[in-house]
Coordinates of all heavy atoms in Angstrom, one line a residue:
M6 N -15.4 -10.4 -1.0 CA -15.4 -9.2 -2.0 C -14.6 -9.5 -3.1 O -14.8 -9.0 -4.2 CB -14.9 -7.9 -1.3 CG -16.0 -7.3 -0.3 SD -17.5 -6.7 -1.2 CE -16.8 -5.3 -2.1
G7 N -13.6 -10.5 -3.0 CA -12.8 -10.8 -4.1 C -11.8 -9.8 -4.6 O -11.3 -9.8 -5.7
Y8 N -11.4 -9.0 -3.6 CA -10.5 -8.0 -3.9 C -9.2 -8.4 -3.2 O -8.3 -7.4 -3.0 CB -10.9 -6.6 -3.5 CG -11.9 -6.1 -4.4 CD1 -13.2 -5.8 -4.0 CD2 -11.5 -5.6 -5.6 CE1 -14.2 -5.4 -5.0 CE2 -12.4 -5.1 -6.6 CZ -13.8 -5.0 -6.2 OH -14.7 -4.4 -7.0
G9 N -8.9 -9.6 -3.1 CA -7.5 -10.0 -2.6 C -7.3 -9.6 -1.2 O -8.2 -9.7 -0.4
T10 N -6.1 -9.2 -0.9 CA -5.5 -9.1 0.3 C -5.4 -7.6 0.9 O -4.8 -7.4 1.9 CB -4.2 -9.8 0.4 OG1 -3.3 -9.1 -0.5 CG2 -4.2 -11.3 0.0
V11 N -6.0 -6.7 0.2 CA -5.9 -5.3 0.6 C -7.2 -4.9 1.4 O -8.3 -5.0 0.9 CB -5.6 -4.3 -0.6 CG1 -5.5 -2.9 -0.1 CG2 -4.4 -4.8 -1.4
T12 N -7.0 -4.4 2.6 CA -8.1 -4.1 3.5 C -8.0 -2.6 3.9 O -7.1 -2.2 4.6 CB -8.2 -4.9 4.7 OG1 -8.0 -6.3 4.4 CG2 -9.5 -4.8 5.4
P13 N -9.0 -1.8 3.5 CA -8.9 -0.4 3.9 C -9.1 -0.3 5.4 O -9.8 -1.0 6.0 CB -10.1 0.3 3.2 CG -10.6 -0.7 2.0 CD -10.1 -2.0 2.6
I14 N -8.5 0.8 5.9 CA -8.6 1.0 7.4 C -9.7 2.0 7.6 O -9.5 3.2 7.1 CB -7.3 1.4 8.1 CG1 -6.3 0.3 7.9 CG2 -7.6 1.7 9.6 CD1 -4.9 0.6 8.4
L15 N -10.9 1.7 8.2 CA -11.9 2.6 8.3 C -11.5 3.8 8.9 O -11.0 3.8 10.0 CB -13.1 1.9 9.0 CG -14.4 2.6 8.8 CD1 -15.0 2.5 7.3 CD2 -15.5 1.8 9.7
G16 N -11.9 5.0 8.4 CA -11.7 6.3 9.0 C -10.3 6.7 8.8 O -9.8 7.9 9.3
E17 N -9.3 6.0 8.1 CA -8.0 6.4 7.8 C -7.7 6.4 6.4 O -7.2 5.3 5.9 CB -7.0 5.5 8.6 CG -7.2 5.6 10.2 CD -6.1 5.0 10.9 OE1 -5.0 5.1 10.6 OE2 -6.4 4.3 11.9
L18 N -8.0 7.4 5.7 CA -7.9 7.4 4.2 C -6.5 7.1 3.9 O -5.6 7.7 4.4 CB -8.4 8.8 3.8 CG -8.8 9.0 2.3 CD1 -10.0 7.9 2.0 CD2 -9.3 10.4 2.0
W19 N -6.4 6.4 2.8 CA -5.1 6.0 2.2 C -4.2 5.0 3.1 O -3.1 4.8 2.7 CB -4.3 7.2 1.8 CG -5.0 8.1 0.9 CD1 -5.3 9.5 1.2 CD2 -5.5 8.0 -0.4 NE1 -6.0 10.0 0.2 CE2 -6.1 9.1 -0.8 CE3 -5.5 6.9 -1.3 CZ2 -6.7 9.2 -2.1 CZ3 -6.1 6.9 -2.5 CH2 -6.8 8.1 -2.9
R20 N -4.8 4.5 4.1 CA -4.1 3.6 4.9 C -4.9 2.2 4.8 O -6.1 2.1 4.9 CB -4.1 4.0 6.4 CG -2.9 5.0 6.5 CD -3.1 5.8 7.8 NE -3.0 5.2 9.0 CZ -1.8 5.1 9.7 NH1 -0.7 5.6 9.2 NH2 -1.8 4.6 10.9
F21 N -3.9 1.1 4.6 CA -4.5 -0.2 4.4 C -3.7 -1.3 5.1 O -2.6 -1.1 5.4 CB -4.4 -0.5 2.8 CG -5.1 0.4 2.0 CD1 -4.4 1.7 1.6 CD2 -6.4 0.4 1.6 CE1 -4.9 2.6 0.8 CE2 -7.0 1.3 0.7 CZ -6.3 2.5 0.4
H22 N -4.4 -2.4 5.4 CA -3.7 -3.5 5.8 C -3.5 -4.4 4.5 O -4.4 -4.8 3.9 CB -4.4 -4.3 6.9 CG -4.3 -3.8 8.2 ND1 -5.3 -3.4 9.1 CD2 -3.2 -3.3 8.9 CE1 -4.8 -2.9 10.2 NE2 -3.5 -2.8 10.1
V23 N -2.3 -4.9 4.3 CA -2.0 -5.7 3.2 C -1.4 -7.0 3.7 O -0.4 -7.0 4.4 CB -1.1 -5.1 2.1 CG1 -0.8 -6.0 0.9 CG2 -1.7 -3.8 1.6
S24 N -2.0 -8.1 3.5 CA -1.5 -9.4 4.1 C -0.2 -9.9 3.3 O 0.0 -9.5 2.2 CB -2.6 -10.5 4.1 OG -3.0 -10.7 2.7
S25 N 0.5 -10.6 4.0 CA 1.8 -11.2 3.4 C 1.5 -12.1 2.2 O 0.6 -12.8 2.2 CB 2.5 -11.9 4.5 OG 3.5 -12.7 3.9
F26 N 2.3 -11.9 1.2 CA 2.2 -12.8 0.1 C 2.8 -14.1 0.3 O 2.4 -15.1 -0.3 CB 2.9 -12.2 -1.2 CG 2.2 -10.9 -1.7 CD1 1.8 -9.9 -0.9 CD2 2.1 -10.8 -3.1 CE1 1.2 -8.7 -1.5 CE2 1.5 -9.7 -3.6 CZ 1.1 -8.6 -2.8
T27 N 3.9 -14.2 1.1 CA 4.6 -15.4 1.2 C 4.1 -16.3 2.3 O 4.0 -17.5 2.1 CB 6.1 -15.1 1.3 OG1 6.2 -14.1 2.3 CG2 6.7 -14.7 0.0
D28 N 3.8 -15.6 3.4 CA 3.4 -16.4 4.7 C 2.4 -15.7 5.6 O 2.8 -15.2 6.6 CB 4.7 -16.8 5.4 CG 4.5 -17.9 6.4 OD1 3.3 -18.2 6.6 OD2 5.4 -18.4 7.0
P29 N 1.2 -15.6 5.0 CA 0.2 -14.8 5.8 C -0.1 -15.3 7.2 O -0.6 -14.7 7.9 CB -1.0 -14.9 4.9 CG -0.8 -15.9 3.8 CD 0.7 -16.2 3.8
E30 N 0.3 -16.6 7.4 CA 0.0 -17.2 8.8 C 1.0 -16.6 9.7 O 0.6 -16.3 10.9 CB 0.3 -18.7 8.7 CG -0.6 -19.5 7.7 CD -2.0 -19.7 8.5 OE1 -2.0 -20.1 9.6 OE2 -3.0 -19.4 7.8
K31 N 2.1 -16.4 9.4 CA 3.3 -15.9 10.3 C 3.6 -14.4 10.2 O 3.9 -13.8 11.2 CB 4.6 -16.6 10.1 CG 4.6 -18.1 10.5 CD 5.9 -18.7 10.5 CE 5.9 -20.2 10.8 NZ 6.8 -20.9 10.0
C32 N 3.5 -13.9 9.0 CA 3.9 -12.5 8.8 C 2.7 -11.6 8.5 O 1.7 -11.9 7.9 CB 4.8 -12.3 7.6 SG 6.2 -13.4 7.7
G33 N 2.8 -10.3 8.7 CA 1.8 -9.4 8.5 C 0.5 -9.5 9.3 O 0.5 -10.2 10.2
P34 N -0.7 -8.8 8.9 CA -0.6 -7.9 7.7 C 0.2 -6.7 7.9 O 0.4 -6.3 9.1 CB -2.1 -7.5 7.6 CG -2.6 -7.7 9.0 CD -1.8 -8.8 9.6
Y35 N 0.7 -6.1 6.8 CA 1.5 -4.9 6.9 C 0.6 -3.7 6.8 O -0.4 -3.6 6.1 CB 2.5 -5.0 5.8 CG 3.4 -6.1 5.9 CD1 3.4 -7.1 5.0 CD2 4.3 -6.2 6.9 CE1 4.1 -8.3 5.0 CE2 5.2 -7.4 7.1 CZ 5.1 -8.4 6.1 OH 5.8 -9.5 6.2
L36 N 1.1 -2.7 7.5 CA 0.3 -1.4 7.4 C 1.0 -0.5 6.2 O 2.1 -0.2 6.3 CB 0.6 -0.5 8.7 CG -0.2 0.9 8.7 CD1 -1.7 0.7 8.6 CD2 0.2 1.5 10.1
V37 N 0.2 -0.2 5.3 CA 0.5 0.5 4.1 C -0.1 1.9 4.1 O -1.4 2.0 4.3 CB 0.2 -0.2 2.8 CG1 0.5 0.7 1.5 CG2 1.1 -1.5 2.7
D38 N 0.7 2.9 4.0 CA 0.1 4.3 3.9 C 0.6 4.9 2.5 O 1.7 5.2 2.4 CB 0.7 5.2 5.0 CG 0.0 6.5 5.1 OD1 -0.5 7.1 4.1 OD2 -0.1 7.1 6.2
L39 N -0.4 5.0 1.6 CA -0.1 5.4 0.3 C 0.3 6.9 0.1 O 1.0 7.3 -0.8 CB -1.2 5.2 -0.6 CG -1.6 3.7 -1.0 CD1 -2.7 3.6 -1.9 CD2 -0.4 3.0 -1.5
E40 N -0.1 7.7 1.1 CA 0.2 9.1 1.0 C 1.6 9.5 1.4 O 2.1 10.6 1.1 CB -0.8 9.8 2.0 CG -1.1 11.2 1.6 CD -2.1 11.9 2.6 OE1 -2.5 11.2 3.6 OE2 -2.6 13.0 2.3
E41 N 2.2 8.7 2.1 CA 3.6 8.9 2.7 C 4.6 9.2 1.6 O 4.5 8.6 0.5 CB 4.1 7.9 3.6 CG 3.4 7.9 4.9 CD 3.7 9.1 5.8 OE1 4.8 9.5 5.8 OE2 2.8 9.7 6.4
Y42 N 5.6 10.0 1.9 CA 6.7 10.3 0.9 C 6.2 10.8 -0.4 O 6.5 10.2 -1.4 CB 7.7 9.1 0.8 CG 8.3 8.7 2.0 CD1 7.8 7.5 2.7 CD2 9.2 9.5 2.8 CE1 8.4 7.1 3.9 CE2 9.7 9.1 4.0 CZ 9.3 7.9 4.6 OH 9.8 7.6 5.8
K43 N 5.4 11.8 -0.3 CA 4.8 12.5 -1.5 C 4.2 11.3 -2.4 O 4.4 11.4 -3.6 CB 5.8 13.2 -2.3 CG 6.3 14.4 -1.3 CD 7.4 15.2 -2.1 CE 7.9 16.3 -1.2 NZ 9.1 16.9 -1.7
W44 N 3.4 10.6 -1.8 CA 2.7 9.5 -2.6 C 3.5 8.3 -3.0 O 3.1 7.6 -4.0 CB 1.8 10.0 -3.6 CG 0.7 11.0 -3.2 CD1 0.8 12.3 -3.1 CD2 -0.5 10.5 -2.6 NE1 -0.4 12.8 -2.5 CE2 -1.1 11.8 -2.2 CE3 -1.2 9.4 -2.3 CZ2 -2.4 11.7 -1.6 CZ3 -2.4 9.3 -1.8 CH2 -3.0 10.4 -1.4
N45 N 4.8 8.2 -2.6 CA 5.5 7.0 -2.9 C 4.8 5.8 -2.1 O 4.7 4.7 -2.7 CB 7.0 7.1 -2.4 CG 7.8 5.8 -2.7 OD1 8.3 5.7 -3.8 ND2 7.8 4.9 -1.8
G46 N 4.4 6.2 -0.9 CA 3.9 5.1 -0.1 C 4.9 4.6 1.0 O 6.1 4.7 0.8
E47 N 4.3 4.1 2.1 CA 5.2 3.6 3.2 C 4.5 2.3 3.6 O 3.3 2.0 3.5 CB 5.2 4.5 4.3 CG 6.0 4.0 5.5 CD 6.0 5.0 6.6 OE1 5.1 5.8 6.9 OE2 7.1 5.0 7.4
C48 N 5.5 1.3 4.0 CA 5.0 0.0 4.3 C 5.8 -0.5 5.6 O 6.9 0.0 5.8 CB 5.1 -1.0 3.3 SG 4.6 -2.6 3.6
G49 N 5.3 -1.4 6.4 CA 5.9 -1.8 7.6 C 6.8 -3.0 7.4 O 7.3 -3.7 8.3
C50 N 6.9 -3.6 6.1 CA 7.6 -4.8 5.9 C 9.2 -4.6 5.9 O 9.7 -3.5 5.8 CB 7.1 -5.4 4.6 SG 7.8 -4.6 3.1
Q51 N 9.9 -5.7 5.9 CA 11.4 -5.7 5.9 C 11.9 -5.0 4.6 O 12.9 -4.4 4.6 CB 11.9 -7.1 6.0 CG 11.7 -7.8 7.3 CD 12.5 -7.1 8.5 OE1 13.7 -6.8 8.2 NE2 11.9 -6.9 9.5
D52 N 11.2 -5.5 3.5 CA 11.7 -5.0 2.2 C 11.7 -3.4 2.1 O 12.6 -2.9 1.5 CB 10.9 -5.5 1.1 CG 11.3 -5.2 -0.3 OD1 12.5 -5.1 -0.5 OD2 10.5 -5.0 -1.1
F53 N 10.8 -2.8 2.8 CA 10.7 -1.4 2.7 C 11.7 -0.6 3.5 O 12.0 0.6 3.2 CB 9.3 -0.9 3.0 CG 9.0 0.5 2.8 CD1 8.9 1.0 1.4 CD2 9.0 1.5 3.8 CE1 8.7 2.4 1.1 CE2 8.8 2.8 3.5 CZ 8.7 3.2 2.1
I54 N 12.4 -1.3 4.5 CA 13.3 -0.6 5.4 C 14.4 0.2 4.6 O 14.6 1.3 4.8 CB 13.9 -1.6 6.4 CG1 12.8 -2.0 7.4 CG2 15.0 -0.9 7.2 CD1 13.2 -3.0 8.3
K55 N 15.0 -0.6 3.7 CA 16.1 0.1 2.8 C 15.6 1.2 1.9 O 16.2 2.2 1.7 CB 16.8 -1.0 1.9 CG 17.9 -1.8 2.7 CD 18.6 -2.8 1.8 CE 18.2 -4.1 2.1 NZ 18.4 -5.1 1.1
K56 N 14.4 0.9 1.3 CA 13.9 2.0 0.5 C 13.5 3.2 1.2 O 13.7 4.3 0.7 CB 12.5 1.4 -0.1 CG 12.8 0.0 -1.0 CD 11.5 -0.5 -1.5 CE 11.6 -2.0 -2.0 NZ 12.5 -2.1 -3.0
K57 N 13.1 3.0 2.5 CA 12.6 4.1 3.4 C 13.9 5.0 3.6 O 13.8 6.2 3.6 CB 12.2 3.5 4.6 CG 11.7 4.6 5.6 CD 10.9 3.9 6.8 CE 10.4 5.0 7.8 NZ 9.5 4.5 8.7
T58 N 15.1 4.3 3.8 CA 16.3 5.1 4.1 C 16.6 6.0 2.9 O 17.0 7.1 3.0 CB 17.5 4.1 4.3 OG1 17.1 3.2 5.2 CG2 18.8 4.9 4.6
Q59 N 16.4 5.5 1.7 CA 16.6 6.3 0.5 C 15.7 7.5 0.3 O 16.0 8.6 0.0 CB 16.5 5.5 -0.8 CG 17.7 4.5 -0.9 CD 17.4 3.7 -2.3 OE1 17.1 2.5 -2.2 NE2 17.7 4.2 -3.4
L60 N 14.4 7.2 0.7 CA 13.3 8.3 0.6 C 13.7 9.4 1.6 O 13.5 10.5 1.4 CB 11.9 7.6 0.8 CG 11.5 6.8 -0.2 CD1 10.4 5.9 0.1 CD2 11.0 7.7 -1.4
E61 N 14.1 8.9 2.8 CA 14.4 9.9 3.8 C 15.6 10.7 3.5 O 15.8 11.9 3.9 CB 14.6 9.2 5.2 CG 13.2 8.8 5.8 CD 13.3 8.0 7.1 OE1 14.3 7.6 7.5 OE2 12.1 8.0 7.7
A62 N 16.5 10.2 2.6 CA 17.6 10.9 2.2 C 17.3 11.8 1.0 O 18.1 12.5 0.5 CB 18.7 9.9 1.8
G63 N 16.0 11.8 0.6 CA 15.5 12.7 -0.4 C 15.3 12.2 -1.8 O 15.0 12.9 -2.8
A64 N 15.3 10.9 -1.9 CA 15.0 10.2 -3.2 C 13.6 10.6 -3.6 O 12.7 10.6 -2.9 CB 15.2 8.7 -3.1
V65 N 13.4 10.7 -5.0 CA 12.1 11.0 -5.5 C 11.4 9.7 -5.6 O 11.9 8.7 -5.8 CB 12.3 11.6 -6.9 CG1 10.9 11.9 -7.6 CG2 13.0 12.9 -6.9
R66 N 10.0 9.8 -5.5 CA 9.2 8.6 -5.4 C 9.4 7.8 -6.8 O 9.6 8.4 -7.8 CB 7.7 8.9 -5.2 CG 7.0 9.5 -6.4 CD 5.6 9.8 -6.1 NE 5.1 10.7 -7.2 CZ 3.9 10.4 -7.8 NH1 3.2 9.3 -7.4 NH2 3.5 11.1 -8.8
S67 N 9.2 6.5 -6.6 CA 9.5 5.7 -7.8 C 9.0 4.3 -7.5 O 8.9 3.8 -6.4 CB 11.1 5.6 -8.1 OG 11.5 4.3 -8.3
R68 N 8.7 3.6 -8.6 CA 8.2 2.2 -8.5 C 9.3 1.4 -7.7 O 8.9 0.4 -7.1 CB 8.0 1.7 -9.9 CG 7.4 0.2 -9.9 CD 7.0 -0.2 -11.3 NE 6.6 -1.6 -11.4 CZ 5.5 -1.9 -11.0 NH1 4.5 -1.2 -10.7 NH2 5.1 -3.3 -11.0
W69 N 10.5 1.7 -7.9 CA 11.7 0.9 -7.3 C 11.8 1.2 -5.9 O 12.6 0.4 -5.2 CB 12.9 1.2 -8.0 CG 12.8 1.0 -9.5 CD1 12.8 2.1 -10.4 CD2 12.4 -0.2 -10.2 NE1 12.5 1.6 -11.7 CE2 12.3 0.3 -11.6 CE3 12.2 -1.4 -9.8 CZ2 11.9 -0.7 -12.6 CZ3 11.8 -2.5 -10.9 CH2 11.7 -1.9 -12.2
L70 N 11.1 2.2 -5.4 CA 11.2 2.5 -3.9 C 9.8 2.0 -3.3 O 9.5 2.5 -2.2 CB 11.4 4.1 -3.7 CG 12.8 4.4 -4.2 CD1 13.0 6.0 -4.0 CD2 13.9 3.7 -3.4
Q71 N 9.0 1.3 -4.0 CA 7.8 0.6 -3.4 C 8.0 -0.8 -3.2 O 8.5 -1.5 -4.1 CB 6.6 1.1 -4.3 CG 6.4 2.5 -4.4 CD 5.4 2.8 -5.6 OE1 5.0 2.0 -6.3 NE2 5.2 4.1 -5.8
C72 N 7.6 -1.4 -2.2 CA 7.6 -2.8 -2.0 C 6.3 -3.4 -2.7 O 5.4 -2.7 -3.1 CB 7.6 -3.2 -0.6 SG 6.1 -2.6 0.3
K73 N 6.3 -4.7 -2.7 CA 5.1 -5.4 -3.4 C 3.7 -5.0 -2.7 O 2.7 -5.0 -3.4 CB 5.2 -6.8 -3.5 CG 5.5 -7.6 -2.3 CD 5.9 -8.9 -2.5 CE 6.3 -9.7 -1.2 NZ 6.7 -11.1 -1.4
H74 N 3.8 -4.7 -1.5 CA 2.5 -4.4 -0.7 C 2.0 -3.0 -1.1 O 0.7 -2.9 -1.2 CB 2.8 -4.5 0.8 CG 3.4 -5.8 1.2 ND1 4.8 -5.7 1.7 CD2 3.1 -7.0 1.2 CE1 5.2 -6.9 2.0 NE2 4.2 -7.8 1.7
I75 N 2.9 -2.1 -1.2 CA 2.5 -0.7 -1.7 C 2.0 -0.9 -3.1 O 0.9 -0.3 -3.5 CB 3.7 0.3 -1.7 CG1 4.1 0.5 -0.2 CG2 3.4 1.5 -2.3 CD1 5.4 1.3 -0.1
R76 N 2.7 -1.6 -4.0 CA 2.2 -1.8 -5.4 C 0.9 -2.4 -5.4 O 0.1 -2.0 -6.3 CB 3.2 -2.5 -6.2 CG 4.5 -1.6 -6.4 CD 5.4 -2.2 -7.5 NE 6.0 -3.5 -7.3 CZ 7.2 -3.6 -6.8 NH1 8.0 -2.6 -6.7 NH2 7.7 -4.8 -6.6
E77 N 0.7 -3.5 -4.6 CA -0.6 -4.2 -4.6 C -1.7 -3.2 -4.1 O -2.8 -3.2 -4.7 CB -0.5 -5.3 -3.7 CG -1.8 -6.2 -3.6 CD -2.2 -6.9 -4.9 OE1 -1.5 -6.7 -5.9 OE2 -3.2 -7.6 -4.9
A78 N -1.5 -2.4 -3.1 CA -2.5 -1.5 -2.6 C -2.9 -0.5 -3.7 O -4.1 -0.2 -3.9 CB -2.0 -0.8 -1.3
K79 N -1.9 0.0 -4.4 CA -2.2 1.0 -5.4 C -3.0 0.4 -6.6 O -3.9 0.9 -7.1 CB -0.8 1.5 -6.0 CG -0.2 2.5 -5.1 CD 0.9 3.3 -5.8 CE 1.5 4.3 -4.7 NZ 2.3 5.4 -5.3
R80 N -2.5 -0.9 -6.9 CA -3.2 -1.6 -8.0 C -4.8 -1.8 -7.6 O -5.6 -1.5 -8.5 CB -2.5 -3.0 -8.2 CG -3.1 -3.7 -9.4 CD -2.5 -5.1 -9.5 NE -3.0 -6.0 -8.5 CZ -4.2 -6.6 -8.5 NH1 -5.0 -6.4 -9.4 NH2 -4.5 -7.4 -7.4
V81 N -5.0 -2.3 -6.4 CA -6.3 -2.5 -6.0 C -7.2 -1.2 -5.8 O -8.3 -1.2 -6.3 CB -6.3 -3.3 -4.6 CG1 -7.8 -3.4 -4.1 CG2 -5.7 -4.7 -4.8
V82 N -6.6 -0.2 -5.3 CA -7.3 1.1 -5.2 C -7.6 1.7 -6.7 O -8.8 2.1 -6.9 CB -6.5 2.2 -4.5 CG1 -7.1 3.6 -4.7 CG2 -6.3 1.9 -3.0
F83 N -6.7 1.5 -7.6 CA -7.0 1.9 -9.0 C -8.2 1.0 -9.4 O -9.1 1.6 -10.1 CB -5.8 1.5 -9.9 CG -5.9 2.0 -11.3 CD1 -5.7 3.4 -11.6 CD2 -6.3 1.1 -12.3 CE1 -5.9 3.8 -13.0 CE2 -6.5 1.5 -13.6 CZ -6.2 2.7 -13.9
E84 N -8.3 -0.3 -9.2 CA -9.4 -1.1 -9.6 C -10.7 -0.6 -8.9 O -11.8 -0.6 -9.6 CB -9.2 -2.5 -9.3 CG -8.2 -3.2 -10.2 CD -8.1 -4.7 -9.9 OE1 -8.8 -5.2 -9.0 OE2 -7.3 -5.3 -10.6
W85 N -10.6 -0.3 -7.7 CA -11.8 0.2 -7.0 C -12.3 1.4 -7.6 O -13.6 1.7 -7.8 CB -11.5 0.5 -5.5 CG -11.4 -0.8 -4.8 CD1 -12.0 -2.1 -5.0 CD2 -10.7 -1.0 -3.5 NE1 -11.7 -3.0 -4.0 CE2 -10.9 -2.4 -3.1 CE3 -9.9 -0.2 -2.7 CZ2 -10.3 -2.9 -1.9 CZ3 -9.3 -0.7 -1.5 CH2 -9.6 -2.1 -1.2
E86 N -11.4 2.4 -7.9 CA -11.8 3.7 -8.4 C -12.4 3.4 -9.8 O -13.5 4.1 -10.1 CB -10.6 4.6 -8.7 CG -9.9 5.1 -7.3 CD -10.8 6.2 -6.7 OE1 -11.5 6.9 -7.5 OE2 -10.8 6.3 -5.5
R87 N -11.8 2.5 -10.6 CA -12.3 2.2 -11.9 C -13.8 1.6 -11.8 O -14.6 2.0 -12.8 CB -11.4 1.2 -12.7 CG -11.8 0.9 -14.1 CD -11.1 -0.4 -14.5 NE -11.5 -1.5 -13.6 CZ -10.8 -2.7 -13.5 NH1 -9.7 -2.9 -14.2 NH2 -11.3 -3.6 -12.7
D88 N -14.0 0.8 -10.9 CA -15.3 0.1 -10.8 C -16.3 1.0 -9.9 O -17.4 0.5 -9.7 CB -15.1 -1.2 -10.1 CG -14.2 -2.1 -10.9 OD1 -14.1 -1.9 -12.1 OD2 -13.8 -3.1 -10.3
G89 N -15.9 2.2 -9.4 CA -16.8 3.0 -8.7 C -17.1 2.5 -7.3 O -18.1 2.8 -6.7
V90 N -16.2 1.7 -6.8 CA -16.4 1.1 -5.4 C -16.0 2.3 -4.4 O -15.0 2.9 -4.5 CB -15.4 -0.1 -5.2 CG1 -15.5 -0.5 -3.8 CG2 -15.8 -1.2 -6.1
K91 N -16.9 2.5 -3.5 CA -16.7 3.5 -2.4 C -15.8 2.7 -1.4 O -16.2 2.4 -0.2 CB -18.0 3.9 -1.8 CG -18.8 4.7 -2.7 CD -20.0 5.3 -2.0 CE -20.8 6.2 -3.0 NZ -22.1 6.6 -2.4
W92 N -14.5 2.6 -1.7 CA -13.5 1.8 -0.9 C -13.3 2.3 0.5 O -12.9 1.6 1.4 CB -12.2 1.5 -1.7 CG -11.5 2.8 -2.1 CD1 -11.8 3.4 -3.3 CD2 -10.7 3.5 -1.4 NE1 -11.0 4.6 -3.4 CE2 -10.3 4.6 -2.1 CE3 -10.1 3.4 -0.1 CZ2 -9.4 5.7 -1.8 CZ3 -9.2 4.5 0.3 CH2 -8.9 5.5 -0.5
W93 N -13.5 3.7 0.6 CA -13.2 4.3 1.9 C -14.3 4.0 2.9 O -14.3 4.2 4.1 CB -13.1 5.8 1.8 CG -14.1 6.5 1.1 CD1 -15.3 7.0 1.6 CD2 -14.3 6.6 -0.3 NE1 -16.1 7.5 0.7 CE2 -15.6 7.2 -0.6 CE3 -13.6 6.3 -1.4 CZ2 -16.0 7.5 -1.8 CZ3 -14.0 6.6 -2.7 CH2 -15.2 7.3 -2.9
E94 N -15.4 3.3 2.4 CA -16.5 2.9 3.3 C -16.5 1.4 3.5 O -17.4 0.8 4.2 CB -17.8 3.3 2.7 CG -18.0 4.8 2.6 CD -19.4 5.2 2.0 OE1 -20.0 4.3 1.5 OE2 -19.7 6.4 1.9
L95 N -15.6 0.7 2.9 CA -15.6 -0.8 3.1 C -15.3 -1.2 4.5 O -14.4 -0.6 5.1 CB -14.5 -1.4 2.1 CG -14.9 -1.3 0.5 CD1 -13.7 -1.9 -0.2 CD2 -16.1 -2.0 0.2
Ligands
ZN30 ZN1 5.8 -4.0 2.1

């Protein structure tokens, strides 16, 4: 499909598998849920652990509280929406 490394999880809206950027052989794919933390998004990677602590302490959603996997998922979903792709059926 040429849409990179973001794979929608069938039947689970706003949840995606995002493969590792650095070492897809050994790490990932990571489970990304865009809806979590009032649409900040949640990810299973190491980088997100610290950000998650801040969000749980009440931090407002922000680009700085998203890891690259969350940002990539958002970017790709935006492209799908723009192109009229029914991504929830992929
Ligand atoms: Zn991540």
Side-chain angles (χ1 to χ4, degrees):
M6 289 291 290
Y8 283 113
T10 58
V11 178
T12 310
I14 300 173
L15 197 64
E17 298 189 43
L18 201 59
W19 306 116
R20 280 157 70 92
F21 305 86
H22 281 132
V23 181
S24 60
S25 168
F26 289 47
T27 47
D28 196 351
E30 296 284 309
K31 287 191 194 143
C32 308
Y35 300 109
L36 177 63
V37 169
D38 188 330
L39 291 183
E40 201 178 11
E41 284 296 316
Y42 301 109
K43 297 178 182 167
W44 296 99
N45 180 89
E47 180 176 30
C48 181
C50 74
Q51 289 292 318
D52 183 39
F53 188 73
I54 292 173
K55 273 183 251 160
K56 303 176 194 299
K57 184 173 178 161
T58 308
Q59 288 179 257
L60 288 161
E61 282 178 348
V65 179
R66 76 181 168 126
S67 137
R68 184 172 173 82
W69 311 112
L70 294 175
Q71 296 164 1
C72 63
K73 58 189 174 183
H74 312 108
I75 294 172
R76 290 199 292 263
E77 180 67 0
K79 288 196 179 196
R80 188 186 70 77
V81 170
V82 167
F83 183 84
E84 283 186 2
W85 284 334
E86 291 284 333
R87 183 198 62 198
D88 297 344
V90 175
K91 291 182 179 175
W92 54 268
W93 55 91
E94 293 178 359
L95 290 179

